[in-house]
Amino acid sequence: MADDAVLDDPVGESLRGHHAHLARRVGRAATYLPDVATFSAISTDPDATDWADLAHLLGEGAFADMFSRPAQPPAGWEPVFVLDGRQMIWPEGKQAPLPHPVLDLGPDDVPDMLALVDRTRPGPFWKRTVDLGTYLGVRDGSGTLVAMAGERLRPPGWTEISAVCTSPEARGQGHAARLVAALTARVLARGERPFLHVAEANTTAIALYERLGFVTRARVTFQGFTTPTTASGRNAGSTGTGPT
């Protein structure tokens, strides 16, 4: 049975575990490699040293996407955005949905994936985001990629479904439902449970996920900051050893 307590810190759990090979770390601060993801994580009980380590890791004036962490940074960190959302999970023991025929996407599809993201704005997606896990898609009769969804965070026992998007001209055809169902079936088949995050204002997506069988686990707050731009350096007591 997957422990849902790890979902309280999905970024940190992923960077310490399944995605450790995609991480940079200083002390108790960690972030993804460039072009993979912008998410960063610190200790669940951060002190001044942890924040200084993260600032050192990211660099001055850099973007820190703290995802669903409630911890507030010290003075000098400038807020970029705050967004209310919810975390939804697949109920334990619920039968897997029937998978539908979809295409597996890989590195050769990245230009088309980036073009689709540019048209639909589903959230952060970079050149190497595909390295996080499986991505599936739908192409129209002309070969244009018109819908996709994939795997992102991987805390122990769980896989996040993300980047769910459909080009405007292809909406209303059930592509998102088929892609999420296919990913859900694959995650369950390997003994894990799927979860996802969605903005509270995105009522259409919430309704879709509920129809598929997902339930709300928690309300979350997504937050982004820029690191201090003054030459503050790192605290003398920092235990960080530098980026790896």
Side-chain angles (χ1 to χ4, degrees):
M1 179 178 66
D3 178 10
D4 71 349
V6 298
L7 299 183
D8 292 338
D9 183 20
V11 175
E13 293 286 353
S14 298
L15 287 168
R16 288 187 292 270
H18 192 83
H19 288 158
H21 64 294
L22 299 174
R24 295 184 294 148
R25 187 177 302 278
V26 174
R28 298 195 298 176
T31 189
Y32 279 94
L33 294 173
D35 291 336
V36 174
T38 57
F39 304 127
S40 298
I42 54 175
S43 167
T44 55
D45 57 342
D47 56 23
T49 296
D50 296 326
W51 287 109
D53 282 342
L54 182 57
H56 174 76
L57 181 62
L58 296 174
E60 290 192 4
F63 177 61
D65 191 337
M66 301 307 295
F67 205 63
S68 57
R69 293 297 307 146
Q72 295 298 309
W77 291 68
E78 294 296 327
V80 176
F81 72 87
V82 177
L83 181 66
D84 291 329
R86 63 174 70 186
Q87 184 183 77
M88 305 182 73
I89 62 174
W90 189 260
E92 183 181 0
K94 184 175 177 60
Q95 185 175 357
L98 293 175
H100 297 273
V102 288
L103 300 173
D104 282 84
L105 303 176
D108 291 343
D109 299 295
V110 167
D112 289 345
M113 298 167 78
L114 290 171
L116 178 60
V117 167
D118 189 56
R119 297 197 304 274
T120 58
R121 305 291 182 182
F125 192 92
W126 310 99
K127 292 179 181 179
R128 292 189 58 199
T129 300
V130 69
D131 292 349
L132 294 174
T134 298
Y135 279 81
L136 305 177
V138 175
R139 292 185 181 275
D140 65 13
S142 68
T144 301
L145 184 68
V146 295
M148 74 172 186
E151 299 174 351
R152 190 167 63 179
L153 301 178
R154 293 286 299 276
W158 298 84
T159 295
E160 183 195 25
I161 295 175
S162 182
V164 182
C165 56
T166 303
S167 193
E169 73 277 4
R171 290 174 184 166
Q173 301 177 41
H175 295 321
R178 286 191 289 272
L179 289 165
V180 173
L183 283 168
T184 296
R186 293 194 186 197
V187 172
L188 292 169
R190 63 174 181 247
E192 297 180 343
R193 286 169 65 189
F195 73 108
L196 51 84
H197 292 93
V198 59
E200 193 66 43
N202 194 348
T203 55
T204 300
I206 292 171
L208 167 64
Y209 301 144
E210 288 178 337
R211 287 198 304 272
L212 289 172
F214 286 86
V215 297
T216 297
R217 174 183 179 266
R219 295 305 200 275
V220 295
T221 301
F222 308 115
Q223 299 183 81
F225 303 89
T226 54
T227 59
T229 55
T230 56
S232 56
R234 298 171 63 200
N235 287 5
S238 172
T239 58
T241 58
T244 58

